Amino acid sequence: MVLGFEQDFARFCETRHCVGVGSGTDALRFALLATGVRSGDIVLTVPNTFIATTEAISQAGGRPAFVDIDEQTFTMDPVKLREYLETECTWDATNKRAVHKRTGHAVTAVVPVHLYGQMAEMDPILELAAQYHLKVIEDACQAQGAEYFSPKENRWCKAGSMGHAAAFSFYPGKNLGACGEAGAVTTNDEQVAQTCRLLRDH
């Protein structure tokens, strides 16, 4: 039954893979680990999110840092993300990564949080992520079925299909609720999916 749901939810999200897990927190933690976040790495997210977002970053060994939101959408502001990367970080050309000036730690990932049925402004976030070699993990825990019109791709894109991976929660209060705790990781990367399965099974 779980395998059948994973296949159905992957199709619904328009992704190649879905891995069912125990909770949305697990989904985000596994996605961070599977995409390469390591102990001490800085992971950028927004301040107006449930504690589970930053908790999962900490559980993965990362250090959360905050980029403010667009006051119209309440999601990550790509302009402020650029400002953060340009003013709070330096570029390590040897290792091809941004380094946080104050701590000296590498900035390796960004977690935009989709909220209130709206996805974050993904095109510019993904563009910045490509420029700074960041992994993008969508916190889609409250965004099952949400869509974003991508001017770059000239089409509507489903939540969970645009980043390197995405985390969903099926806590009973969410858009799609289970009878108890549940979550899922979606991704188009086979290695990320396989690593999440190994972590889930363990």
Side-chain angles (χ1 to χ4, degrees):
M1 289 177 69
V2 172
L3 178 59
F5 174 79
E6 289 173 336
Q7 293 169 344
D8 289 344
F9 197 68
R11 279 193 295 272
F12 176 74
C13 294
E14 299 175 356
T15 59
R16 291 179 58 207
H17 305 282
C18 170
V19 182
V21 297
S23 67
T25 309
D26 279 353
L28 188 53
R29 175 164 55 101
F30 293 169
L32 288 162
L33 290 169
T35 54
V37 171
R38 296 294 175 257
S39 181
D41 287 356
I42 302 289
V43 178
L44 303 176
T45 191
V46 292
N48 66 323
T49 185
F50 183 58
I51 187 65
T53 306
T54 52
E55 179 186 20
I57 293 168
S58 297
Q59 288 175 343
R63 299 168 61 123
F66 298 109
V67 171
D68 211 349
I69 58 169
D70 180 322
E71 62 183 20
Q72 298 300 314
T73 65
F74 298 99
T75 61
M76 183 176 283
D77 187 334
V79 173
K80 292 185 173 74
L81 175 60
R82 180 180 291 279
E83 287 173 358
Y84 188 98
L85 291 166
E86 290 178 348
T87 63
E88 301 294 325
C89 305
T90 57
W91 179 249
D92 179 351
T94 303
N95 296 303
K96 293 185 169 42
R97 63 187 186 183
V99 176
H100 190 246
K101 288 179 182 177
R102 187 169 51 82
T103 65
H105 290 276
V107 181
T108 59
V110 57
V111 180
V113 180
H114 307 324
L115 194 60
Y116 306 137
Q118 302 185 105
M119 288 177 62
E121 199 63 43
M122 291 300 293
D123 277 353
I125 291 172
L126 290 167
E127 185 178 328
L128 284 166
Q131 181 182 341
Y132 285 91
H133 296 197
L134 306 176
K135 298 296 185 181
V136 178
I137 295 91
E138 300 172 63
D139 183 333
C141 285
Q142 298 192 47
Q144 294 91 329
E147 295 185 333
Y148 166 77
F149 184 79
S150 165
K152 182 179 178 181
E153 297 189 30
N154 194 34
R155 67 181 183 92
W156 289 94
C157 299
K158 285 284 188 75
S161 69
M162 298 191 73
H164 295 90
F168 288 90
S169 170
F170 305 122
Y171 183 78
K174 296 296 196 297
N175 308 23
L176 178 61
C179 294
E181 282 284 4
V185 177
T186 56
T187 183
N188 289 309
D189 186 314
E190 189 167 349
Q191 186 57 55
V192 168
Q194 179 61 13
T195 301
C196 287
R197 286 190 191 98
L198 292 170
L199 291 166
R200 182 266 311 271
D201 292 344
H202 176 71

